[in-house]
């Protein structure tokens, strides 16, 4: 895309223009360099923070739409739908499958359109699945195929993560990427929790006889419009934020992209997969605790899982900034293995509160692992480019572009865990009558991933020995 190079008066809201920057029409910024201390302290960090705030809000709504079906399916029988267990798990998992796939093209949208411009577009696309859900769930005679198609459209919200994270990584210096990316991701991840908290309340308020299930979609429309307006008014496009197929192809040839993607399936894939299926697990295992009456409304405690997982994510990034992402990721997998093992025991104990506590531990560890694994990505690619201080040096422009491409690609691959986990749990339920066989497989997987992390990135004598990855 070609842009006019004619400088104009600054279009950003900041009172001063940081040294070296040129502001152009359409809120394009030239010469951005977050590693330049004078530019960063001279106003760059204020610009970065402003873009981060609106990026978080737009991504938050993306996660809301992405995870709406996880809580809506629990209420479908109450309004007349008669889908079987297998069909319910498909409605839960299909948004993750589509969202993961969309993350591949979404990772290229920021360089093509600009971060601000693409945020406006991607937020606007959320109007489609929100409206589709509101219409379909109001008609119990809607065929399953139509419902599955509309649920698949919710995957548009999952794609937002890749473009949002790719955009924000350009705004921050290497030493602060962990915290910034952690906040951006956590703010988005909170959407899953808020959807699971708000929807049961909204659909039961004033519903004397039947649930007002279409409100699960309609209530988000005004917020989506607000996100579009906020991106238009307050975000910026960076002309330096460029990646291309060459950078992506180079990243795909890098063996460590696939290792990091595997780790991210274990961390983020677990978070989004368990967040999607948690309301259904509670409804199946502890039906008396699936909802609690609060006045004239109902509330589901399922939202707590996504909440604690989201809030712990930025601390995973911060811990990785301080101690190294590999150490934090390895510890996270150890705790996730223990948490999943404990959940299998609590199912047989038939104690909801112990079950909830063990699952929340699993969510917290997964959230920390999300942040630390994602923080490893720029460090690994910087180290592979030959820099000796990969924890604080992002490498040359070529390395930064490869890193940005890798962030999108790894986030896409990792999101497939959100499809695999519900499908495995659903298969376990339909074939054995409970969820323990799938949970035991997850324990084994976490132990294997913990070992892989230690051997590849922490072992003395490895290619990363002496680097704080």
């Amino acid at each position: 895309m070609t842009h006019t190079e004619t400088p104009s008066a600054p279009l950003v809201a900041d009172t001063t223009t940081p040294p070296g920057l040129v502001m152009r029409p359409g809120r394009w910024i030239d010469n951005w360099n977050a590693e330049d201390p004078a530019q960063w302290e001279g106003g760059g960090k204020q610009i970065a923070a402003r873009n981060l705030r609106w990026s978080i809000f737009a991504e938050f709504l993306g996660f809301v739409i992405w995870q709406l079906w996880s809580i809506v399916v629990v209420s479908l029988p109450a309004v007349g739908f008669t889908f079987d267990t297998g069909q319910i798990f498909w409605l839960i998992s299909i948004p993750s499958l589509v969202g993961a796939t969309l993350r591949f093209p979404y990772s290229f949208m920021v360089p093509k359109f600009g971060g601000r411009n693409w945020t406006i577009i991607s937020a606007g696309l959320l109007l489609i699945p929100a409206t589709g859900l509101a219409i379909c769930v109001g008609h119990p005679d809607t065929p399953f195929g139509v419902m599955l198609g509309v649920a698949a459209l919710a995957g548009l919200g999952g794609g937002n993560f890749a473009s949002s994270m790719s955009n924000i990584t350009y705004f921050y210096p290497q030493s602060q990427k962990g915290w910034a990316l952690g906040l951006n991701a956590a703010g988005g991840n909170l959407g899953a929790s808020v959807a699971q908290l708000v929807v049961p309340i909204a659909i039961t308020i004033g519903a004397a006889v039947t649930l007002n299930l279409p409100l699960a979609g309609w209530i988000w429309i005004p917020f989506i419009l607000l996100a579009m307006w906020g991106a238009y008014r307050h975000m910026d496009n960076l002309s330096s934020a460029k990646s291309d197929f060459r950078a992506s192809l180079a990243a795909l040839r890098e063996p460590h992209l696939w290792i990091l993607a595997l780790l991210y399936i274990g961390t983020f894939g677990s978070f989004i997969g368990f967040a999607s299926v948690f309301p259904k697990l509670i409804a199946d295992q502890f039906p008396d605790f699936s909802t609690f009456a609060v006045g004239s409304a109902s509330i589901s405690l399922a939202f707590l899982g996504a909440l604690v997982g989201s809030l712990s994510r930025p601390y995973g990034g911060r811990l990785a900034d301080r101690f190294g992402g590999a150490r934090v990721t390895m510890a996270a997998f150890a705790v996730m293995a223990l948490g999943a093992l404990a959940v299998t025991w609590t199912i047989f104990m038939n104690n909801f509160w112990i079950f909830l506590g063990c699952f929340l531990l699993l969510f917290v560890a997964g959230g920390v692992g999300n942040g630390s694994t994602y923080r490893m990505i720029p460090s690994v690619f910087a180290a592979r480019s030959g820099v000796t201080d990969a924890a604080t040096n992002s490498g040359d422009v070529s390395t930064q572009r490869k890193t940005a491409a890798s962030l999108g690609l790894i986030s896409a691959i990792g999101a497939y865990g959100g499809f695999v986990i519900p499908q495995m749990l659903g298969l376990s339920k339909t074939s054995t009558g409970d969820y323990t066989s799938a949970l035991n497989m997850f324990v084994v997987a976490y132990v294997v991933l913990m070992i892989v992390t230690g051997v590849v990135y922490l072992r003395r004598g490895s290619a990363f020995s002496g680097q704080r990855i």
Side-chain angles (χ1 to χ4, degrees), residues 40-41 45 172-181 321 375 391:
W40 182 252
E41 295 298 332
K45 63 182 176 182
Y172 280 84
Q174 180 79 344
S175 61
Q176 297 185 38
K177 284 188 194 297
W179 182 240
L181 293 175
D321 284 339
R375 178 61 181 90

Side-chain angles (χ1 to χ4, degrees), residues 233-417:
R233 289 282 295 141
H234 300 292
M235 291 187 72
D236 302 291
N237 303 304
L238 299 181
S239 60
S240 60
K242 295 186 180 297
S243 64
D244 50 37
F245 284 104
R246 182 178 300 176
S248 297
L249 290 174
L252 288 171
R253 289 194 295 268
E254 170 58 61
H256 288 277
L257 178 140
W258 299 101
I259 297 174
L260 291 166
L262 182 65
L263 301 183
Y264 203 58
I265 290 174
T267 55
F268 177 77
S270 293
F271 164 78
I272 200 64
F274 284 129
S276 299
V277 81
F278 201 32
K280 175 66 173 170
L281 290 180
I282 293 176
D284 284 353
Q285 297 296 133
F286 303 95
D288 294 338
F289 295 90
S290 60
T291 58
F292 294 84
V294 180
S296 61
S298 295
I299 186 172
S300 169
L301 293 183
F303 81 95
L304 291 173
L307 176 65
V308 299
S310 302
L311 294 179
S312 62
R313 176 162 189 157
Y315 292 98
R318 174 160 283 186
L319 288 170
D321 284 339
R322 183 172 181 180
F323 300 107
R327 289 183 176 85
V328 178
T329 298
M330 192 172 178
F333 279 130
V335 177
M336 291 172 71
L338 291 174
L341 188 61
V343 168
T344 61
W345 297 336
T346 60
I347 288 178
F348 295 112
M349 295 171 61
N350 200 32
N351 186 306
F352 170 73
W353 299 108
I354 298 178
F355 169 85
L356 179 64
C358 292
F359 234 119
L360 293 184
L361 175 65
L362 180 56
F363 273 108
V364 169
V368 169
N370 288 345
S372 60
T373 304
Y374 215 73
R375 178 61 181 90
M376 290 172 64
I377 299 170
S379 296
V380 168
F381 277 84
R384 293 284 287 176
S385 72
V387 303
T388 57
D389 52 344
T392 58
N393 188 338
S394 57
D396 57 21
V397 173
S398 175
T399 300
Q400 292 179 40
R401 290 179 178 177
K402 186 189 292 187
T403 298
S406 299
L407 289 169
L409 293 169
I410 290 171
S411 75
I413 298 169
Y416 282 110

